[in-house]
Amino acid sequence: RVKERGKAHYQFYRTDMNSAFTNVVTLETHLRRAIEKNELMVYYQPQIDMKSGKAKSFEALLRWKDTEFGFISPGVFIPLAEDTGLILSIGYWVIETVCQQIKYWTDKGYSDYRVAINISPKQFQHPNLVPFIQFMIEQYNIKASSIEIEITEGVMNDTKETIPILKKLKQLGLSISIDDFGTGYSSLNYIKQFPIDGLKIDQSFIRDIMDDKKNAAITSTIIHLGKSLGLEVIAEGVENKRQVDFLLKEECHKIQGFFYSRPIPAFELEKQFLTKN
Ligand code: C2E
Ligand code: MG
Ligand code: MG
Ligand code: MG
């Protein structure tokens, strides 16, 4: 039942991370148990707005701490979850957890913050996605504008299916951004047609921006493309001051990366980054 991609990821996992899982089924069993035992957590990473210097938005990132094996990277278990269909229950759990968190922060007087949620292609295409999000927004009585959806270019393959879903999400009041921009099928025609709000420049371009002229050129081009189309541009994977200086010079709107903060638990984020107006 497990497809090739899962196996490939498992091999990476086994050699590089932990030899305790003897096969991919073990990992799947552990993941199922983790969902039941509520061992998944959502961490948050701030996105710093370059004009104000403030963090007004955060990306929600899944964390899984297995009781036996410790932290397992989403880079490992998300592809497995996609292949096994577990991504649906995980994805809905993430959406609800984030809505709950936004409600909690709003009630405490922290307002006007936005949280970006990663939506996998399989979940994006699922007919329950839009109704579920709408239900959660009503249930927790939060502003739709406090939620952003991150999709990858992989979702854009089928424009006939994609555009109506994006339009419905926009009608609800959510923001939409394209994650890992520049690594997939970045047809400019899609960018033109899709009702999106932002682009996230993939970290592979940012990584050696200072030593690789081509990556620097691609980064500036994405920033200028995004700006001329009226989109918000975020650089992710920013780890040092030289990268920040380059992005400031190019007038990138927002920066996300270890330079400012790693993804951290909600209570840490509240202590370090939230302020009351
Ligand atoms: P992504 O959405 O592109 O998330 C950014 C990744 O870059 C995160 O990895 C984050 O921890 C990492 N990162 C942030 N700043 C830096 C930096 O300065 N340097 C480096 N080296 N890395 C940085 P993470 O949390 O391991 O997540 C990996 C991927 O797993 C995500 O990539 C996303 O595709 C997926 N993922 C994570 N959480 C979820 C989720 O709730 N749902 C879905 N569908 N996918 C998720
Ligand atoms: Mg993302
Ligand atoms: Mg990304
Ligand atoms: Mg990614």
Side-chain angles (χ1 to χ4, degrees):
R1 210 158 104 259
V2 177
K3 290 188 206 123
E4 283 315 305
R5 205 153 61 90
K7 278 187 196 142
H9 271 275
Y10 164 65
Q11 261 157 28
F12 155 77
Y13 177 84
R14 178 165 148 185
T15 46
D16 293 339
M17 300 189 64
N18 201 315
S19 57
F21 287 115
T22 50
N23 58 55
V24 70
V25 178
T26 314
L27 184 55
E28 187 185 338
T29 308
H30 272 250
L31 183 55
R32 282 185 194 279
R33 205 184 302 152
I35 297 166
E36 280 161 24
K37 284 165 61 190
N38 222 0
E39 284 175 357
L40 298 179
M41 294 169 283
V42 176
Y43 275 30
Y44 297 85
Q45 186 178 34
Q47 305 175 327
I48 311 298
D49 173 69
M50 287 295 102
K51 266 220 177 95
S52 63
K54 287 181 181 152
K56 282 288 186 184
S57 54
F58 315 102
E59 179 173 7
L61 293 159
L62 254 178
R63 292 293 176 262
W64 170 22
K65 195 176 181 193
D66 184 89
T67 38
E68 227 172 303
F69 304 111
F71 279 101
I72 296 164
S73 161
V76 171
F77 70 84
I78 292 286
L80 176 79
E82 279 257 331
D83 287 343
T84 53
L86 286 172
I87 192 67
L88 289 177
S89 46
I90 293 176
Y92 289 126
W93 180 83
V94 171
I95 294 169
E96 174 150 24
T97 303
V98 168
C99 290
Q100 229 166 3
Q101 191 62 57
I102 291 171
K103 167 77 175 150
Y104 173 83
W105 281 331
T106 307
D107 286 350
K108 276 185 109 174
Y110 304 113
S111 56
D112 296 322
Y113 288 100
R114 192 166 82 200
V115 180
I117 303 175
N118 292 284
I119 302 289
S120 83
K122 212 176 234 170
Q123 189 179 17
F124 187 81
Q125 274 131 22
H126 196 266
N128 282 352
L129 178 70
V130 177
F132 184 82
I133 292 177
Q134 183 167 15
F135 178 65
M136 284 297 121
I137 288 169
E138 285 162 9
Q139 174 104 338
Y140 289 100
N141 190 25
I142 57 174
K143 286 190 204 160
S145 58
S146 57
I147 301 175
E148 179 177 323
I149 294 297
E150 289 190 11
I151 52 171
T152 53
E153 291 161 279
V155 162
M156 299 180 153
N157 291 339
D158 191 351
T159 37
K160 270 204 213 89
E161 296 271 331
T162 303
I163 292 178
I165 301 172
L166 292 176
K167 281 193 176 149
K168 281 185 210 152
L169 291 169
K170 290 294 301 171
Q171 271 162 15
L172 286 181
L174 276 73
S175 306
I176 296 154
S177 60
I178 308 297
D179 202 357
D180 306 341
F181 185 73
T183 58
Y185 302 89
S186 321
S187 160
L188 296 179
N189 209 28
Y190 290 161
I191 306 300
K192 193 184 77 182
Q193 286 181 57
F194 281 36
I196 54 170
D197 304 281
L199 298 178
K200 296 190 77 175
I201 307 170
D202 190 67
Q203 20 187 308
S204 60
F205 301 120
I206 306 293
R207 196 166 300 130
D208 36 33
I209 217 172
M210 301 317 296
D211 310 307
D212 184 332
K213 285 209 172 74
K214 287 182 182 167
N215 281 344
I218 290 169
T219 299
S220 324
T221 303
I222 297 176
I223 295 171
H224 294 291
L225 170 73
K227 292 187 123 177
S228 17
L229 294 174
L231 304 173
E232 180 176 80
V233 184
I234 305 186
E236 70 177 351
V238 176
E239 296 184 348
N240 60 56
K241 181 75 168 57
R242 291 172 72 209
Q243 293 166 325
V244 172
D245 289 341
F246 178 89
L247 293 162
L248 273 174
K249 192 179 82 212
E250 298 296 323
E251 298 183 0
C252 188
H253 296 116
K254 284 182 177 175
I255 295 183
Q256 178 183 348
F258 296 172
F259 181 75
Y260 290 106
S261 173
R262 288 181 174 264
I264 48 180
F267 74 93
E268 281 290 341
L269 188 94
E270 186 180 324
K271 264 196 293 189
Q272 293 180 38
F273 291 97
L274 300 193
T275 53
K276 288 178 185 170
N277 303 322

